[in-house]
Amino acid sequence: MATEPIQVRPAEDSDRRPLALLFAAVAEERDGIAAEPPIDVEKRAANWQLDGMFVALVAGEVVGDLWVEQTSFGYGEIGMMVAAEWRGRGVGTALVAAAIDWARMHGLHKLTLSVFPHNDAAIALYRKFGFVEEGRRSKQIRRASGELWDLMEMGLLL
Ligand SMILES: CC(C)(COP(=O)(O)OP(=O)(O)OC[C@H]1O[C@@H](n2cnc3c(N)ncnc32)[C@H](O)[C@@H]1OP(=O)(O)O)[C@@H](O)C(=O)NCCC(=O)NCCS
């Protein structure tokens, strides 16, 4: 766990640029999320849908985020990331806990997500909260390298 407290709160306008920079940095890793460089940071910052977006902060610095895309069918689809230097310290756990609370408060019956099957850290985090594997999409994501990666679909009934 982080030694400094982790704060999770709904995203605000002033978070747009830090969120876009974090997204670009994680995309550079070419590992956990589907997006790959180049990321247009200014465009990303302008286009974030802040409703349903949470940020995790340590000492006032954005170190992670999670968004819930609420559908009109009662479920929400989530995506998230934590800055590389802050991983393994409970930031992801704090974000998922906040998302589950928010989803329940908004009357959602289910949260779903897609994750690359090699993403052990993310899968461990989701399983910890009770998400279960619901299926796989074969060769769903074409990478810049030309590789085709599967997606694992996971869900949590609330
Ligand atoms: C996935 C991610 C969000 C997890 O965030 P995090 O802040 O590191 O998560 P936490 O520190 O809360 O750890 C959550 C659990 O995962 C486990 N975990 C962490 N890293 C792990 C690893 N490499 N292998 C297996 N389990 C791991 C921890 O043991 C922890 O469980 P515990 O609290 O019972 O010990 C983060 O690794 C990340 O941003 N990765 C890149 C982007 C990404 O993959 N996003 C998700 C796309 S679906």
Side-chain angles (χ1 to χ4, degrees), residues 83-114:
E85 59 277 26
W86 282 97
R87 291 180 196 155
R89 297 201 247 176
V91 176
T93 297
L95 283 164
V96 175
I100 291 172
D101 284 351
W102 183 90
R104 288 203 171 110
M105 263 168 37
H106 284 75
L108 299 187
H109 74 276
K110 185 175 182 182
L111 287 174
T112 62
L113 59 89
S114 302

Side-chain angles (χ1 to χ4, degrees), residues 26 29 31-33 80-83 86-94 113-116 119-126 128:
V26 177
E29 296 173 30
D31 183 45
I33 63 170
M80 69 182 299
M81 62 196 60
V82 171
W86 282 97
R87 291 180 196 155
R89 297 201 247 176
V91 176
T93 297
L113 59 89
S114 302
V115 58
F116 291 130
N119 196 342
D120 294 334
I123 292 167
L125 169 61
Y126 302 137
K128 188 167 88 161

Side-chain angles (χ1 to χ4, degrees), residues 40-122:
D40 183 333
V41 170
E42 301 313 322
K43 194 168 159 193
R44 268 269 149 196
N47 290 345
W48 283 119
Q49 169 58 258
L50 295 185
D51 191 34
M53 166 86 80
F54 298 89
V55 292
L57 301 119
V58 175
E61 181 199 345
V62 172
V63 296
D65 65 272
L66 180 153
W67 57 94
V68 185
E69 259 182 65
Q70 193 171 348
T71 71
S72 44
F73 307 110
Y75 73 92
E77 178 90 18
I78 73 173
M80 69 182 299
M81 62 196 60
V82 171
E85 59 277 26
W86 282 97
R87 291 180 196 155
R89 297 201 247 176
V91 176
T93 297
L95 283 164
V96 175
I100 291 172
D101 284 351
W102 183 90
R104 288 203 171 110
M105 263 168 37
H106 284 75
L108 299 187
H109 74 276
K110 185 175 182 182
L111 287 174
T112 62
L113 59 89
S114 302
V115 58
F116 291 130
H118 66 256
N119 196 342
D120 294 334

